[in-house]
Amino acid sequence: MDKSDFDLRDFMPYLLNMAAEEASLEFQQYYKGRYGMLRTEWRVLFHLGRYGEMTAKTICDRARIHKTKVSRAVSALEQKRFLSRKEVEEDRRHELLRLTNNGVSAYNDISAKAKEFDEKLVRPFSVEEQSILRQCLIKLANL
Amino acid sequence: MDKSDFDLRDFMPYLLNMAAEEASLEFQQYYKGRYGMLRTEWRVLFHLGRYGEMTAKTICDRARIHKTKVSRAVSALEQKRFLSRKEVEEDRRHELLRLTNNGVSAYNDISAKAKEFDEKLVRPFSVEEQSILRQCLIKLANL
DNA sequence: CGTTGTTAGTTACAAAACCAACCATTATTT
DNA sequence: AAATAATGGTTGGTTTTGTAACTAACAACG
């Protein structure tokens, strides 16, 4: 097997990582600079803003984030007054998380920017390319 | 602007990150488990194995890795006897890095696995899809 | 009941990434 | 040639992440 024709540009994991990094950078700077949020915090915020109140465990499962990361993100978001916790009567192990008004407006702002940003990212591609790209990524990500 | 139709699955940076994570996982376990390497170390090893001896700075530029990360990866690879350094006479700020025999055989092994692994990853896609996917990623990554 | 097992969530400690300041060496300016 | 800047590379301290062990609450089984 000849390796001299095997370049990093041919290696999917590398390409995906580089593209992901590049694509995330600018957007990341937005929510970090404006709200001091980390990526996990933004994802948690997004889930609550987009799908309504839910428990931390549900976020873990849906977003495939480890529970310790979610736990810390929730604490951080709580401290920044973006969400509040409510114990569930029937099962006191659960805590329902919901966004505060503050959280909602941050969500609205950031997700609008996200949409904008997404459009900008895929603008160079044809509609067909966009569709194929998304489908491939969804399959690769096991979504 | 309505956000209720904007899902994470529609957001490129998210998709890219999830796909990248998923795609990297298995391969990462290979070189980590077998050689105790970190990702940056594998990338440095790859550059030296694929393109021959070069300086740390060159690796930084070509692989877009910050110099502190490269510096530490080089130290680690040196300790594991995968590479050696050679001072450059004309400019003693530079150090040429080259793989040891040990390093070369690790490179051969891992890059063969990488090729294999890449093929497995894209197998579910048609040739045309593969080509579009790669081109889009290369463009997104600014490569 | 009471023991054992699960589940949701937190905490503590180690590994890794990030950022800034730092040498040492070479270039440039005056 | 002295002073200043720029370059290649390293080091130290802080943040983030990862991993494992830990509570607390509930479930299931004898």
Side-chain angles (χ1 to χ4, degrees), chain A residues 68-80:
Chain A
T68 63
K69 266 170 105 174
V70 169
S71 170
R72 292 194 258 244
V74 166
S75 300
L77 288 171
E78 192 186 24
Q79 277 210 318
K80 289 168 200 151

Side-chain angles (χ1 to χ4, degrees), chain A residues 94-113:
Chain A
H94 294 79
E95 286 180 319
L96 272 180
L97 306 171
R98 68 183 324 167
L99 295 188
T100 61
N101 293 338
N102 224 341
V104 171
S105 68
Y107 165 76
N108 284 334
D109 175 41
I110 303 178
S111 69
K113 272 274 181 299

Side-chain angles (χ1 to χ4, degrees), chain B residues 38-70:
Chain B
L38 263 30
R39 203 165 49 138
T40 308
E41 292 170 42
W42 148 242
R43 286 199 188 166
V44 168
L45 185 89
F46 180 89
H47 275 263
L48 295 171
R50 175 70 176 76
Y51 306 107
E53 68 177 22
M54 61 180 78
T55 144
K57 178 61 162 63
T58 309
I59 299 180
C60 291
D61 294 341
R62 299 180 52 141
R64 299 218 204 118
I65 312 176
H66 194 271
K67 56 184 184 172
T68 63
K69 268 169 102 175
V70 169

Side-chain angles (χ1 to χ4, degrees), chain A residues 4 7 12 50-51 118, chain B residues 4 7 10 12 50-51 118:
Chain A
S4 64
D7 198 89
M12 264 309 149
R50 174 70 176 74
Y51 305 110
D118 189 78
Chain B
S4 64
D7 198 89
D10 301 320
M12 262 313 148
R50 175 70 176 76
Y51 306 107
D118 189 78

Side-chain angles (χ1 to χ4, degrees), chain B residues 110-128:
Chain B
I110 303 179
S111 69
K113 271 274 183 299
K115 204 168 178 174
E116 240 177 71
F117 188 65
D118 189 78
E119 278 158 14
K120 197 173 91 188
L121 267 180
V122 299
R123 197 168 301 150
F125 306 125
S126 76
V127 176
E128 201 206 339

